[in-house]
Structure formats: C-alpha cells, structure tokens
Amino acid sequence: MQLLDGKKVSEEIKNEIASEVAQIKARGEKVPHLAAVLVGSNGASLTYVGSKVKTCEKIGFDSTLVSLPEETTEEELLAKIYELNNNDDIDGFIVQLPLPKHIDEQKVLNAVDPDKDVDGFHPENFGRMALELESFIPATPFGILQLLERNKIETKGKNVVVIGRSNIVGKPMSLLMSRKAYPGNATVTLTHSATQNIEEITREADIVITALGVPEFLKAEMIKEGAVIVDVGITRVADDTNAKGYVIKGDVAFNEVAEKASWITPVPGGVGPMTIAMLMKNTLIARERRAKKK
C-alpha cells in the first residue's frame, strides 16, 4: 500500500505557483489577487478561509477577505458580488459555503462572473467542463486529478466508482474521469443514496472515489485487492479521549481498507490540502486569461 500524499503534492504545486509569481513580480506585472467572501461566523468556514488567506501570503498572491455579518441580506450579498465582478484588480473570488439559510446559494453562485469563478461552481463553467472545453474545474476534483496524475496512476479503461452525487465533487468527478484525456478515459459508475447493492458495485472498482460524508462507510469487504481509494469525506466525530473532544474521520475505514488497497489517501492530509492548492492554481489561470484578454 502506498499513500496518495496530498500534503506532499500540494506543497510541490504551491512551490511551482510561487516560482511563477516570482517571475511575474520580476517582470513588474500585477500578481494574482484572490478574494474570499465569508458570511457569518461558521467555525469550519472561518478555518478554511483563514488557511486560504495564509496560502495566498505564502505564495505571493494578493488576497482580500470580505467578512459580512450573519444577518446580511441576499440583496446585500449580491451587491457585493457585483462589486467584485467589476473590480479589475481582483482576478478570482470565492463565496464560502454554506451560506446562512435565508440566502439562496444557487442564486449567489449564478451571480459570480464565470471568468472569476475560481471555485468552478458557475453553471457556465460546469457546462464547459462537461463539454471538455476550457473552464475552471472545481478545486477538489481538480486536486484529485493531480493526485492521480502526479502519482502516475493508470486510469484508461479502468472501472471507477464514485460514491456521492454532489455538484461540488461527485458529479464533476464522474464527468472528469470519463473524459477523453489523462486522468480519465475510465468507465465510470456514479452511486448515491438510492443505489442498491452498492457493495457489489464497489467490489468491481479499480478506483473508488468517495465523497459521501458518512464516517468509515467504505469497509475492507467492499473493495477488491489492489484498488485505488480516494477519500474526500471529512467529518468531525465526537471522541472524549481526544484533547479536542473530536477526531477527524473520512468516508473510509482507513486501517482495514489500507490492508487491501494499492494506493489510498489519508484523512486528514489527502484530498484536503489539494483543494486549497488547486484553488490557487485556478486563480493563477484566471489572472493569465485576464491578462491575455487585455
């Protein structure tokens, strides 16, 4: 068994980006600028946004954090997005999810300029990705592609099972793994809560990508010997023996599945660090595309 080490690969990618940013600076050009919009004070969201801002600093990007109170109305948030769309200094921005319940998430994501949509959540980017045209790939699926590619994992003709059909991971992952490219060219089965006999399907898989959010759902008896396992799940599970009062669990029963897998992502330290690295990569791409248009 070998680890698909997201920490290591994400550091490589961030170093490559930092080197490109240094060259941009040396030419006296504008460095990439990423903005993040945070509504309210959700603990996990604060942590995610904080690490994005720190990463920007580390690799030489400019960053802006737009922090809005929980009671911000949908209209006020849409006005802020309009402002960011029209701010020529900002290359890309994200709206941190989840949003407070009184705000329509889809309406907000639809309002983001597709050329600045570095999360890759706008319907235009999703559609272009599905048609294999130039687009922004959502950061988590983009990170998984990089993990597979940089570890030279063969995907052509392989059976890939994706567990979970979210618009952020499951659906885009199923499209990307079946595209005519590497990583891709696989035969993909997308499974979800209504799938019957899921164990029979996962046992046929050469590669399992699980993004379900159910701790330790995937057990050893559900996979075949030598399968590649990518665990996107990340759930806080209460644990009194831990100083923090909780432990982080993925969708995979790691210890038992690792005995049978050829490659497996750890949780934490697998897909998570890749998501932030690819958000930075998308911002660099956004800056380059905007520079070309000018």
Side-chain angles (χ1 to χ4, degrees):
M1 186 277 294
Q2 288 178 277
L3 277 187
L4 282 168
D5 189 339
K7 270 189 185 165
K8 179 172 164 280
V9 176
S10 68
E11 282 307 314
E12 283 170 16
I13 291 167
K14 287 188 284 191
N15 288 338
E16 288 163 14
I17 296 170
S19 158
E20 283 190 58
V21 173
Q23 289 169 34
I24 290 167
K25 266 188 182 160
R27 294 195 298 268
E29 296 170 14
K30 174 193 165 311
V31 299
H33 188 162
L34 173 69
V37 180
L38 179 64
V39 184
S41 53
N42 174 298
S45 294
L46 283 165
T47 305
Y48 288 143
V49 170
S51 57
K52 285 163 188 171
V53 170
K54 268 188 213 148
T55 305
C56 282
E57 224 170 85
K58 191 178 166 189
I59 62 177
F61 281 16
D62 286 339
S63 72
T64 298
L65 174 58
V66 179
S67 213
L68 301 170
E70 185 85 22
E71 56 277 12
T72 300
T73 66
E74 189 173 277
E75 290 68 32
E76 286 167 337
L77 179 55
L78 289 169
K80 181 52 75 177
I81 287 168
Y82 181 76
E83 200 183 295
L84 293 169
N85 284 340
N86 291 288
N87 182 338
D88 212 36
D89 192 49
I90 287 170
D91 298 298
F93 68 94
I94 62 156
V95 180
Q96 185 65 45
L97 303 179
L99 289 168
K101 295 213 173 353
H102 62 276
I103 296 174
D104 181 338
E105 270 183 14
Q106 199 54 55
K107 199 174 184 180
V108 167
L109 296 177
N110 290 358
V112 176
D113 177 350
D115 290 338
K116 292 189 176 189
D117 168 40
V118 287
D119 256 339
F121 293 164
H122 192 282
E124 185 178 314
N125 277 315
F126 197 99
R128 291 181 67 84
M129 178 193 68
L131 294 168
E132 298 184 29
L133 300 170
E134 184 183 85
S135 69
F136 289 112
I137 298 173
T140 301
F142 195 4
I144 294 167
L145 293 181
Q146 284 294 307
L147 268 182
L148 296 172
E149 187 176 336
R150 287 173 185 244
N151 286 288
K152 300 182 171 58
I153 290 168
E154 186 53 77
T155 59
K156 188 179 182 179
K158 299 294 182 188
N159 279 334
V160 173
V161 171
V162 178
I163 307 175
R165 55 179 161 185
S166 73
N167 293 335
I168 293 171
V169 183
K171 278 183 197 160
M173 213 59 240
S174 67
L175 290 165
L176 291 162
M177 292 307 289
S178 59
R179 67 187 179 151
K180 208 171 180 180
Y182 175 72
N185 265 317
T187 303
V188 182
T189 306
L190 179 63
T191 65
H192 43 76
S193 55
T195 302
Q196 296 186 343
N197 305 325
I198 194 164
E199 299 89 345
E200 289 172 26
I201 297 167
T202 54
R203 272 197 291 268
E204 293 297 311
D206 301 302
I207 301 169
V208 178
I209 300 165
T210 173
L212 199 60
V214 177
E216 302 193 326
F217 170 82
L218 193 77
K219 307 277 194 257
E221 65 268 17
M222 294 172 71
I223 69 155
K224 71 177 183 185
E225 199 73 43
V228 175
I229 309 295
V230 178
D231 187 353
V232 186
I234 185 155
T235 309
R236 285 184 179 191
V237 178
D239 183 350
D240 296 336
T241 65
N242 191 288
K244 290 179 181 171
Y246 66 87
V247 287
I248 299 289
K249 297 269 187 191
D251 286 356
V252 176
F254 183 88
N255 292 339
E256 59 176 83
V257 171
E259 298 284 316
K260 284 176 86 173
S262 57
W263 291 86
I264 188 168
T265 55
V267 174
V271 174
M274 294 300 297
T275 300
I276 291 181
M278 301 327 290
L279 178 66
M280 300 300 143
K281 183 73 176 168
N282 274 345
T283 306
L284 180 64
I285 293 168
R287 182 234 169 247
E288 285 165 357
R289 285 183 192 161
R290 282 162 56 75
K292 268 184 198 166
K293 275 187 182 175
K294 280 179 188 172

